[in-house]
């Protein structure tokens, strides 16, 4: 096989000779990084098979064979793509509603997935999902209005807010892709790298607070995103015919990208960091400040935490590596993993440290089997000490010990808050991130009328920014009328719950998630009432339609992970501040049987928990063996003498009437009464100034 795509500039002169072939593929060793490996580069003259080795005449020469490392077919697609262009550029020109397999893999780098409606039978109705890239979740006024328009004109009429602070636009037809993509680009948005084997959207706390550490974290996230953005122009060649889009990046980003002091770069390559092969798999980074775990910091390939001095001035960063959520169905050697400490770097070195980590994964991550290609498997195989040692070779320095940090907290930023500059921001809960109907219409009207920018959160919610004091009452009223309620009027279970889209469009889903979780949450609330838990008590519930973990269910106190049609694994043991990894408790629990597990777990949590002990901590303390025993022996809670709650129902007749109506909605009478009262109070309160 002839290949010149994966070698650095040190071999450039050799490769320019058309008569020279590379005898085997050796990964992505950049020009100066070959010193870090013992693997030789084999080169031989292509026009002759003769060797200079002298052999005895009587001894037949055995042909020398060189075994080429196994590579996944996606690696072949990348190598042959001319930097993620071919054959996608040709496939987009055909009349077919879909694109072929190589193009399907390549379009991910452009921020899109090919999908089809799995609810429909017969010929597949293909469409495309587009995902934007918004570091820190920042969305300009112009971009929000553009995305809102595109959802109506070319999508399915909804916008999906993701767990990585981006938009997803579903249902775009192939013939409309270029129009939609170019519209996003011309509104100063991008989908480049939102999917594919490269750095994805960089997370940071979404709160638009004017505070030095938050501003520094957000700027760092934007710089990292810029550092790791592809440079070869394939995105603009495909979608805007090569038109140059003027963007500015800080000089320190350009300097860090071009620096090759420690053999990180492919010299004379249009992709100095990625080369032709990019990374082995997706790569995720988050940046935050101490205590603020709104970004699920430990679930990322790299977690970066600002460290400040005694005066609150940023001075450096703690770095954590090796997190990741994805698993493969029924393959136990794949697993979720939390990031672990790598070390501390001064603030001026952060881009160089990030680049060194990325290059270590680029050079050493597996490219033969994509199930094991994430960096978490490399670190799990090597151990953190070896990984740190190799990263330090590319970094050129030793990592300092981590600085001690306070305990983590989960911050949702819902409700009204002061920004610190005289304006306010308003965080809005959006069930599963799906913006549609009257909520979508109202948000557009408010954002357009007041020229607001927005932020998207890692919990699938949205923040309206830069709201003047005089605007607060009319905005509050408009939001309440659209059902976008302040957090105190939303069920606490809903506030922290997340689900992936799953059916009908995700090709990986094996069961429902987004469409089922509203009913699941109602059933959990009914169980709470049945076992005597209060309304203001809650657990973190996350649900996915497959084990890939897009909604980060392995960090939940109660995770539901699809493992078959209408069937779920139950994961327990995450904590409210997102610092503990859940574990698999039960497999193949049918959706109709969930109460058989929920009731005994919540009943005994209510009765056996320690002071202020969360559900996740309770399950870890009790141990799964004991919990399984409680589930197996469950016969139901002890029922009190009274069938109805006199605090809500003054007489039996009222209760029975409410109970009859509640049964039609699969609810308890008490639950329905509480909902009616809450909605009435919300309507009254939201019409007034906060």
């Amino acid at each position: 096989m002839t290949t010149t795509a994966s070698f650095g500039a040190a071999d450039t002169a050799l490769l320019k000779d058309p008569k020279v072939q590379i005898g085997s593929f050796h990964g992505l060793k950049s020009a100066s990084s070959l010193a870090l490996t013992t693997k030789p580069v084999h080169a031989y003259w292509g026009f002759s098979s003769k060797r200079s080795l002298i052999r005895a005449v009587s001894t037949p020469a055995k042909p020398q064979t060189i075994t080429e490392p196994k590579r996944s077919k996606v690696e072949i697609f990348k190598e042959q793509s001319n930097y993620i262009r071919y054959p996608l550029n040709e496939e987009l020109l055909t009349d077919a509603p879909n694109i072929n397999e190589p193009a399907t893999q390549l379009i991910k780098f452009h921020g899109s997935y090919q999908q089809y409606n799995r609810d429909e039978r017969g010929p597949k109705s293909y469409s495309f999902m587009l995902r934007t890239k918004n570091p820190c979740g920042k969305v300009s006024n112009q971009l929000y209005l553009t995305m809102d328009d595109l959802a109506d004109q070319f999508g399915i009429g909804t916008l999906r807010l993701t767990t990585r602070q981006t938009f997803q636009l579903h249902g775009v037809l192939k013939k409309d892709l270029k129009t939609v993509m170019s519209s996003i680009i011309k509104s100063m948005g991008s989908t480049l790298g939102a999917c594919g084997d490269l750095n994805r959207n960089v997370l940071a706390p979404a709160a638009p607070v004017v505070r030095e550490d938050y501003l520094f974290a957000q700027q760092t996230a934007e710089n990292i995103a810029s550092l790791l953005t592809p440079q070869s122009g394939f995105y603009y060649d495909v979608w805007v015919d090569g038109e140059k889009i003027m963007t500015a990046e800080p000089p320190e980003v350009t300097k860090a990208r071009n620096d090759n002091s420690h053999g990180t770069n492919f010299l004379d390559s249009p992709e100095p960091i990625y080369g032709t092969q990019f990374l082995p798999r997706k790569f995720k980074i988050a940046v935050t400040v101490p205590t603020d775990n709104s970004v699920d910091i430990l679930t990322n390939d790299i977690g970066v935490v600002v460290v400040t001095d005694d005066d609150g001035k940023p001075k450096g960063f703690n770095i954590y590596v090796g997190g990741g959520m994805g698993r493969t169905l029924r393959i136990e050697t794949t697993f979720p993993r939390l990031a672990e400490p790598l070390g501390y770097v001064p603030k001026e070195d952060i881009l160089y440290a990030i680049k060194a980590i990325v290059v270590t994964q680029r050079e050493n991550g597996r490219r033969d089997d994509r199930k094991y290609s994430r960096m978490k498997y490399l670190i799990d195989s090597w151990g953190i000490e070896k990984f740190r040692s190799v990263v330090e070779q590319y970094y050129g320095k030793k990592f300092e010990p981590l600085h001690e940090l306070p305990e983590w907290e989960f911050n949702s930023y819902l409700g009204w808050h002061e920004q610190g500059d005289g304006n306010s921001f308003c965080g809005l809960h959006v069930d599963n991130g799906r913006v549609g109907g009257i909520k979508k219409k109202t948000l557009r009207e408010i954002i357009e009328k007041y020229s607001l920018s927005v932020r998207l959160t890692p919990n699938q919610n949205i923040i309206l920014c830069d709201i003047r004091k005089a605007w607060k009452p009319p905005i509050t009223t408009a939001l309440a009328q659209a059902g976008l309620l302040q957090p105190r009027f939303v069920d606490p279970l809903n506030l922290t719950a997340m689900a992936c889209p799953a059916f009908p469009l995700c090709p990986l889903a094996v069961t429902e998630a987004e469409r089922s979780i509203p009913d699941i949450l109602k059933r959990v609330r009914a169980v709470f009432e049945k076992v005597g838990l209060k309304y203001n008590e809650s657990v973190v519930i996350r649900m996915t339609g497959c084990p890939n973990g897009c909604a980060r269910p392995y960090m939940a106190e109660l995770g539901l992970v699809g493992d078959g049609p209408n069937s779920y694994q139950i994961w327990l043991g995450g904590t409210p501040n997102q610092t503990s990894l859940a574990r698999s408790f039960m497999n193949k629990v049918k959706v109709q049987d969930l109460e058989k597990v929920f009731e005994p777990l919540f009943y005994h949590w209510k009765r056996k928990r320690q002071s202020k002990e969360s559900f996740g901590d309770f399950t870890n303390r009790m141990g799964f063996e004991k919990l399984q025993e409680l589930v197996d022996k469950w016969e139901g809670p002890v029922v009190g003498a009274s069938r109805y709650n006199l605090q809500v129902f003054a007489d039996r007749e009222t209760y029975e009437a409410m109970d009859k109506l509640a049964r039609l909605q699969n609810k308890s009478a008490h639950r329905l009464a509480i909902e009616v009262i809450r909605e009435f109070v919300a309507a009254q309160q939201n019409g007034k100034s906060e």
Side-chain angles (χ1 to χ4, degrees), residues 208-211 417-425 464-467:
V209 291
V210 182
R211 212 177 87 179
H417 304 269
E418 296 296 323
Q419 291 182 179
D421 59 358
N423 293 328
S424 299
F425 70 88
L464 306 182
C465 306
D466 304 316
I467 300 173

Side-chain angles (χ1 to χ4, degrees), residues 263-275:
T264 53
N265 288 21
F266 296 96
L267 300 182
D268 300 323
S269 169
E271 292 292 352
I273 294 178
Y274 290 129

Side-chain angles (χ1 to χ4, degrees), residues 335-575:
F335 46 80
R337 189 180 192 274
L338 292 186
E340 56 185 307
L342 182 69
Y344 168 87
V345 299
K347 64 181 181 181
E348 60 271 14
D349 285 353
I350 186 59
L351 296 181
Y352 299 90
I354 294 293
K355 184 178 174 184
I357 297 167
V358 169
V359 170
T360 300
Q361 163 66 353
R362 182 194 76 193
E363 295 296 305
N364 298 283
R366 287 183 61 172
R367 294 179 182 266
D368 60 330
D369 189 336
R370 290 175 65 81
K371 292 191 300 294
Y372 306 105
S373 292
R374 290 289 299 275
M375 194 172 76
K376 63 181 178 180
Y377 295 111
L378 176 64
I379 296 176
D380 189 73
S381 172
W382 279 6
I384 190 64
E385 295 300 330
K386 178 179 177 180
F387 183 82
R388 182 184 294 113
S389 176
V390 174
V391 172
E392 286 173 342
Q393 294 179 62
Y394 290 116
Y395 175 38
K397 299 180 181 180
K398 294 287 187 181
F399 288 100
E400 299 176 35
L402 250 64
H403 287 229
E404 187 175 351
L405 297 177
E407 288 293 316
W408 292 106
E409 300 174 358
F410 171 74
N411 297 322
S412 69
Y413 299 112
L414 297 178
W416 287 94
H417 304 269
E418 296 296 323
Q419 291 182 179
D421 59 358
N423 293 328
S424 299
F425 70 88
C426 182
L428 299 170
H429 171 72
V430 180
D431 281 331
N432 306 307
R434 184 69 65 179
V435 182
I438 185 63
K439 294 180 181 179
K440 178 174 175 294
K441 180 176 181 292
T442 300
L443 279 175
R444 194 229 164 74
E445 290 173 350
I446 292 172
I447 291 167
E448 188 170 30
K449 179 177 180 180
Y450 298 100
S451 298
L452 303 180
S453 63
V454 307
R455 303 277 180 95
L456 310 181
T457 83
N459 233 48
Q460 302 175 317
N461 296 320
I462 190 168
I463 294 174
L464 306 182
C465 306
D466 304 316
I467 300 173
R468 297 178 187 175
K469 185 176 181 179
W471 300 345
K472 188 174 177 181
I475 288 176
T476 301
T477 300
L479 292 172
Q481 290 173 344
L484 290 161
L485 305 177
Q486 293 304 297
R488 66 177 179 273
F489 301 123
V490 179
D491 191 319
L493 290 171
N494 291 63
L495 289 178
T496 56
M498 292 200 296
C500 69
F503 287 147
L505 293 176
C506 179
L508 301 177
V510 296
T511 193
E512 296 282 0
E514 180 185 342
R515 297 193 298 195
S516 288
I517 198 170
D519 180 63
I520 297 293
L521 294 175
K522 291 176 182 176
R523 290 165 61 185
V524 171
R525 176 56 65 193
V527 171
F528 269 35
E529 293 173 356
K530 185 174 182 179
V531 302
L533 287 165
K534 297 177 181 179
Y535 177 77
N536 62 355
E537 297 184 277
S538 186
V539 299
V540 177
I541 300 174
R542 295 176 177 178
M543 186 175 186
T544 58
C546 79
N548 283 278
C550 293
R552 301 191 288 272
Y554 309 116
M555 302 300 290
E557 294 181 274
L558 172 60
L560 300 175
V561 179
D563 64 359
N566 298 312
S567 175
Y568 297 89
Q569 286 184 322
I570 295 179
W571 288 65
L572 302 174
T575 49

Side-chain angles (χ1 to χ4, degrees), residues 203-272:
L203 305 188
V209 291
V210 182
R211 212 177 87 179
E212 188 169 3
D213 54 347
Y214 274 82
L215 296 174
F216 186 65
Q218 291 159 0
Q219 183 61 59
T220 300
E222 291 177 310
N223 287 351
I224 292 171
S226 183
L227 172 73
L228 299 176
T229 295
Q231 299 295 300
S232 56
F234 63 83
Y235 180 68
Y236 302 103
D237 286 349
V238 171
W239 304 112
V240 289
D241 300 323
E243 179 182 344
K244 300 297 182 183
I245 305 299
M246 298 302 295
T247 57
E249 68 180 18
E252 60 265 30
V253 173
T254 306
K255 181 181 178 182
R257 182 189 299 114
N258 294 337
D259 179 78
N260 196 37
S261 302
H262 305 288
T264 53
N265 288 21
F266 296 96
L267 300 182
D268 300 323
S269 169
E271 292 292 352

Side-chain angles (χ1 to χ4, degrees), residues 11-32:
D11 307 295
T12 300
L14 190 67
L15 297 177
K16 286 181 178 178
D17 191 327
K19 293 180 284 189
V20 176
Q21 296 178 330
I22 299 303
S24 64
F25 179 86
H26 290 280
L28 290 171
K29 304 302 176 188
S30 56
S32 305

